Amino acid sequence: MSKKFYITTPIYYPSAAPHLGHAYCTTMCDILSRSKKMRGYETFFLTGLDEHGEKIQKNAEAAGITPQEFVDTIAERFLSLWKAMEIQNDKFIRTTDAYHVATVQKIFSKMLERGDIYLSSYSGWYCVHEESYWTETQIEEGNLCPECHRPLERKDEPAYFYRCSQFADKLLAYYESHPGFIIPEARKNEMVNTFIKPGLTDLCVTRTSFDWGIPVKEAEGHVIYVWLDALTNYITALGYLQEDDSNFKKFWEDPESEVVHVIGADITRFHTIYWPMFLDSLGLRKPDRVFVHGLMMMKDGKMSKSKGNAISAYPLIERYGVDAVRYYLATEIPFGENGVFTPEQFVLRINQDLANNLGNLLNRTVSMIGKYFQGNIPSFVSNVTQFDGDLEAMVEKTVRAYEAHMDDLMPTQATADVMELVNRANKYIEETAPWALAKDESKKAELESVMAHLAHVLYVAGKLLSPILVKKSEALFAQLGLGLEEASYDDLLKFGKLNGHVVNKGEQLFPRLDASVEEAAIKALMAAPKEKAAA
Ligand code: ME8
């Protein structure tokens, strides 16, 4: 039976068009999902939209359309972006989908029946932007939101509450017994010290002051709090409490399935405190890991539509191709840390890693095999030159390190492993000097060995990078005379796999960019960050 892997992005608010920050999170999850799938895991990758709540209702009113029309328009933009970014999600959930609405109502009823939810009244502060409730002691001076520092609204209304207090000890025990539950560790300490230790107040889980939400069946006029609605998407999308719940059984209930939520730091509290509690109420297992990734910032701070500093992914994809953008996102910022988008770094990454390191290795190898062996990749023999053994060992080491890093949700590091191998192979060309070997007939075996080793390294690198370079990896295999099916993961350590294949000199995978021209072009895009919808 194959191993299973379930990975999710946050479901984004369709309050404005998506920017490179959203693309960042979704692309990283796509890379992790594809890398597991490539290794034979059964995977399920979920993304989607969080369409209810007061913020959406207010935005729609401001635009003079209904909330449904509003979210429908923006949903199209998210879908177009995921298509352009070559995102291979298994499902796209929208919380206005009928199955989700019906299931959330069932979930609410279950919690009510168990007594985990009770009716009372809410009197306190609410942040519309964060869709968050705050107590008197949590708010900032001037009645501002402690999270986004915007003015809070005073609320006094009858409401249902979720009994959080009873779960605090269980939660701490879960953190203790599952050391890798929240990554990075610092986030866990923040949750424990800031929210759990001071005492968890019961959470208000319904609203009556607006109606753009899932109605509570038991009480007219109440809609379910957007976070209770949103968090449960991770199980409703799998079919929980629905007729066909096969994916739920396979990817959630099966203890063999690894469940990973990837989120931004701003929503850690909801995923590591409230979500495990809700799951407790439902008697369900908790996710294995909540991975908190960093933010993609601009020089003047967090990328956001309201600041007007967000850069769209489209013009970058149009100009440099989707693989260059995916590669930049995967490698520029170690996953888990914050990073800043700059045109200089974008161009440098593509030039250094893709045009120079990988591109050169491919061009030189294919050209030499063409020149010295009429395009036929020579048969692989181990340890012919004094440098072969080292390169073979490095191939094995790279595959192991890559798998370990991907398993640890470190795709940036996994990519660096591959690039080190590519670098090493370029050095191997200098060490073995094939142009000199070619002049000496007695060195033919060595020349054959060098070409066979280089071709194999390119196959390995192309395969390991294929979750990122989803199009160019195919072009790379074609230059090695390998069909897509043939370039299988299982054969990476089968040296000799390419024996007898015939190379095809193709176009450069990543032409070298003129840095000053391209930096200026990207700066122009940043100065006018107009959303350009996909055709
Ligand atoms: O919080 N850099 O939705 P949201 C990197 N609906 N990632 C970024 C980013 C940036 N500049 N900007 C946004 C919500 N993100 C809720 C989630 S989940 C049940 C409900 C990513 O549209 C990051 O992953 O505000 C962040 O957590 C998410 O978008 C927030 O999206």
Side-chain angles (χ1 to χ4, degrees), residues 1 24 91 150 216 232 265 291 351 374 390 418 433:
M1 211 167 58
Y24 173 65
K91 185 153 183 158
R150 290 179 171 82
V216 174
T232 54
F291 184 94
N351 274 349
Q374 294 78 48
D390 190 32
V418 185

Side-chain angles (χ1 to χ4, degrees), residues 9-15 19-22 24-25 50 55 78 227 230-234 262-267 271 293-297 302-304:
T9 71
I11 48 170
Y12 308 105
Y13 289 127
S15 48
H19 53 64
L20 200 62
H22 300 108
Y24 173 65
C25 175
D50 183 0
K55 183 163 61 176
F78 273 89
W227 272 102
L231 287 164
T232 54
N233 91 89
Y234 300 131
V262 175
I263 60 165
D266 48 342
I267 56 179
H271 285 80
H293 70 76
L295 286 178
M296 169 73 76
M297 325 250 270
K302 184 180 169 181
M303 194 181 296
S304 78

